[in-house]
Amino acid sequence: MLRRFLNIVVREYDTRLYALHRIVLSKNLFYQTTEHAAAQEACKAEEVVKAEEACKAEEVVKAEKKNGGWPPTFLHYDDLPRPEIFFSSRPAMMKASNFHFFSLLPGQGEGCVMFANPSANVSIYDLDMQTVVAVPPASFPKPTNSITLPITNHSKWSPKGEYDLYVMSTEDGSFEFFNYCRTSISAFPNDWYWRPLPHVPPSIPDSYYTVRPASPPFAAAVVDSSTICASSEEGTYAFDMSRGVWRPVGRWTLPFHGAAEYVPEFSLWFGPEGPNGSSQHRLCAFDLASCATAQEAPASQHAWDYLEGLPDEWYPSLRCLVNLGLGKFCIATRCFHRPPEEEDMEEVKVVGDEVTVLTGVEVVRGGNGLQMIKHKSLHYKLDNMGIHCVL
């Protein structure tokens, strides 16, 4: 099913509140038809070539200086719609911004947003019904960039076949899932619950026969109805959802970052190439069907550049892929401006140096296989605010 809205959570640095905004995808990020998008992309490519031929280097430098160091192609920034709701934590927890976790609940509709604060207290807000309910607390606090994997199965953990939201911590490898059923949020059942699972990946014995903790996961995917694969620096592991145990697969790692999104129309998984901070801005397609028994990392079946022309001074710090259904995606890329003389990124990660780009893309079948069509882009540079996550 194709989604209608994209949810953007913005952190206000002054108030330390988290504002939830909602944009209409068909109006702001996608053209009405694929053909219209392809035609617009061809026109833009032609305009860029003409502009580069006509523009002098000194004029480009002057434009960048007027724009605070950002390229002149991004002189226009978009405005967010009014907030739908604000989330907050107790004053003592507000500084722990990395542990304010948000997620959608698949199966409950695209407007059902979960919020977990640094104390692991959890609430759910239904945008359509404008209703807030409290749900059982989680077993542990969740980092903002935790990996979330929604699943519908009939494992021993979910005997009734409800929905499961598996959540992996990218800080310490903590792992648990939230079990819920598809029902109206106003009729919240008492048997929704969280269950902790073995850490991801398991601890590894070193050469001295002692056990050392493994590094946390940075990539994961649901590869079949009962198996999750996850990678850390040490290698790749498979989790058997029916038995609740991990096993090592190999010393290779998954070639993407975050959660790979499965698209049944193509029988492929999609994810951004490489780790966060990489200079490559590519959307890749992978076949992960045999990942749990593979001897080497899966190679990308397709790779497309979705964000071209970024100068070296733009440092990408975070990428997020949102599956919108029917082969459409939103790719959120957060960048910091790094002057050429700056080598320590910690010195330039300040308010005002941040820009977030949302790119709408569509994967379709063409004469030579799959191809990616770019639609629209949104550029946000917010004063005293920063985009916390995109759902």
Side-chain angles (χ1 to χ4, degrees):
M1 184 177 71
L2 186 63
R3 283 178 50 177
R4 296 180 300 151
F5 301 100
L6 185 73
N7 305 304
I8 303 174
V9 179
V10 174
R11 184 189 179 209
E12 299 183 354
Y13 297 125
D14 291 341
T15 63
R16 295 179 179 173
L17 296 176
Y18 293 83
L20 177 63
H21 303 260
R22 207 178 198 190
I23 66 171
V24 180
L25 291 168
S26 61
K27 177 182 178 181
N28 297 282
L29 210 56
F30 287 89
Y31 293 104
Q32 292 298 317
T33 65
T34 305
E35 293 74 18
H36 189 186
Q40 289 294 322
E41 184 178 356
C43 291
K44 287 179 182 178
E46 185 177 347
E47 290 175 0
V48 168
V49 172
K50 291 180 178 179
E52 289 178 346
E53 293 176 350
C55 188
K56 297 180 181 179
E58 56 268 22
E59 293 176 349
V60 173
V61 172
K62 182 185 291 186
E64 287 183 349
K65 288 182 177 179
K66 280 182 77 174
N67 195 32
W70 298 97
T73 52
F74 282 74
L75 282 171
H76 170 74
Y77 296 102
D78 297 283
D79 296 322
L80 286 167
R82 65 172 182 81
E84 299 284 342
I85 191 174
F86 290 90
F87 296 88
S88 66
S89 299
R90 288 183 300 160
M93 298 185 296
M94 285 184 174
K95 291 184 178 180
S97 59
N98 291 339
F99 283 88
H100 286 75
F101 170 78
F102 292 85
S103 176
L104 292 184
L105 286 184
Q108 294 294 107
E110 61 180 283
C112 199
V113 179
M114 171 190 287
F115 168 59
N117 67 16
S119 293
N121 294 317
V122 182
S123 60
I124 295 175
Y125 175 61
D126 191 311
L127 284 156
D128 299 318
M129 298 183 63
Q130 296 186 338
T131 305
V132 179
V133 297
V135 298
S139 304
F140 58 86
K142 292 166 176 49
T144 301
N145 60 347
S146 294
I147 299 173
T148 57
L149 301 167
I151 298 170
T152 305
N153 62 29
H154 297 268
S155 69
K156 70 174 183 179
W157 310 113
S158 303
K160 299 179 183 179
E162 297 100 341
Y163 290 86
D164 291 338
L165 183 71
Y166 285 76
V167 184
M168 300 181 182
S169 170
T170 54
E171 296 286 338
D172 61 5
S174 300
F175 186 34
E176 70 175 322
F177 76 85
F178 180 58
N179 174 261
Y180 60 99
C181 60
R182 185 170 185 173
T183 183
S184 170
I185 196 171
S186 61
F188 165 66
N190 294 325
D191 57 353
W192 288 15
Y193 62 89
W194 291 89
R195 183 185 297 276
L197 297 170
H199 274 47
V200 191
S203 298
I204 299 174
D206 63 19
S207 57
Y208 295 98
Y209 301 100
T210 58
V211 175
R212 60 182 174 84
S215 59
F218 63 82
V222 180
V223 298
D224 59 42
S225 60
S226 63
T227 309
I228 294 173
C229 282
S231 286
S232 69
E233 293 180 0
E234 286 78 15
T236 296
Y237 300 80
F239 181 74
D240 187 328
M241 290 183 281
S242 62
R243 298 170 55 219
V245 296
W246 288 95
R247 63 173 176 83
V249 176
R251 290 291 180 179
W252 51 269
T253 59
L254 295 168
F256 53 86
H257 190 89
E261 297 287 345
Y262 179 69
V263 178
E265 290 83 0
F266 308 126
S267 298
L268 292 172
W269 287 256
F270 292 78
E273 182 183 42
N276 277 336
S278 170
S279 60
Q280 299 295 329
H281 302 282
R282 292 176 183 167
L283 175 65
C284 296
F286 308 92
D287 184 358
L288 304 179
S290 59
C291 181
T293 57
Q295 300 298 313
E296 58 184 8
S300 62
Q301 305 284 318
H302 305 274
W304 304 278
D305 292 323
Y306 67 88
L307 193 60
E308 299 174 336
L310 288 184
D312 294 338
E313 291 78 21
W314 282 41
Y315 182 87
S317 65
L318 182 66
R319 294 187 183 91
C320 174
L321 180 69
V322 181
N323 187 357
L324 305 174
L326 301 181
K328 290 186 177 182
F329 301 93
C330 170
I331 309 172
T333 308
R334 186 168 64 193
C335 300
F336 290 97
H337 176 242
R338 173 178 53 190
E341 64 274 9
E342 295 284 358
E343 295 183 359
D344 184 5
M345 275 307 301
E346 297 300 325
E347 296 182 5
V348 298
K349 289 185 179 180
V350 296
V351 178
D353 286 332
E354 175 185 325
V355 166
T356 299
V357 183
L358 304 183
T359 308
V361 301
E362 180 180 8
V363 178
V364 297
R365 293 192 184 277
N368 298 320
L370 298 183
Q371 58 179 326
M372 187 194 76
I373 305 297
K374 295 181 186 177
H375 282 252
K376 301 178 183 179
S377 292
L378 298 173
H379 315 107
Y380 296 108
K381 185 179 181 183
L382 309 175
D383 294 330
N384 296 317
M385 296 185 290
I387 291 183
H388 187 71
C389 62
V390 179
L391 308 171

